[in-house]
Amino acid sequence: MNSLIEKLSPFVLLLARVVSGYMFLLHGTSKFFEFPMSMTGGNGSVELFSIYGVGGIIEIVGGLFIILGLFTRPTAFLLAGQMAYAYFFMHAKAENLFLPLLNGGELAIMYCMMFLVFIITGAGKFSLDNKLFGTK
């Protein structure tokens, strides 16, 4: 059983990296291009030189880097920090700091945790980091 898990591990890490990077990328594209439009009708196009604009750029570039497995650890560090900031400064209030389902911050926490995992594990065997730099 352990050998099967060890054989599947690089593929599962690839799948987790691509899916989470793609979903994160979509947060950036929705900010600038209203694609995909959210169920609430879209965010509208944000100004480039605003906090949401900078966040959108980080989400697009960071999402692409995570998908490709390029500069994964430093990118994941930046993205985990962005999501921690998003949770504590955009979602959490004093009365519901530890209730992310009530303050709408559960997705920010989940992304933060996912990116912390990528800081530790790296991009894995199937990544540009491994191909270009020999680092997994």
Side-chain angles (χ1 to χ4, degrees):
M1 184 67 169
N2 283 341
S3 64
L4 177 62
I5 291 173
E6 289 173 11
K7 287 179 185 176
L8 292 177
S9 180
F11 297 102
V12 172
L13 182 57
L14 170 67
L15 183 63
R17 203 185 71 235
V18 169
V19 169
S20 62
Y22 175 69
M23 289 171 33
F24 203 68
L25 169 78
L26 291 178
H27 283 277
T29 59
S30 72
K31 284 180 178 65
F32 288 116
F33 312 117
E34 295 184 4
F35 177 81
M37 189 176 295
S38 72
M39 291 172 53
T40 59
N43 298 359
S45 187
V46 299
E47 292 184 30
L48 183 62
F49 296 107
S50 68
I51 193 165
Y52 296 107
V54 171
I57 292 169
I58 292 171
E59 289 163 357
I60 291 171
V61 174
L64 286 172
F65 278 10
I66 293 293
I67 290 168
L68 297 172
L70 183 62
F71 308 119
T72 304
R73 285 188 166 107
T75 299
F77 180 79
L78 177 70
L79 299 181
Q82 179 189 14
M83 291 296 94
Y85 177 90
Y87 182 74
F88 287 110
F89 291 96
M90 302 300 191
H91 294 284
K93 306 291 184 251
E95 66 274 4
N96 61 11
L97 178 65
F98 298 110
L99 300 170
L101 290 176
L102 295 181
N103 65 33
E106 70 275 6
L107 192 56
I109 291 173
M110 291 301 294
Y111 274 124
C112 185
M113 293 300 107
M114 188 69 165
F115 295 134
L116 288 175
V117 168
F118 291 145
I119 293 169
I120 301 302
T121 63
K125 181 178 178 181
F126 303 113
S127 67
L128 286 179
D129 283 344
N130 187 38
K131 182 78 171 166
L132 298 174
F133 312 116
T135 59
K136 296 179 184 175

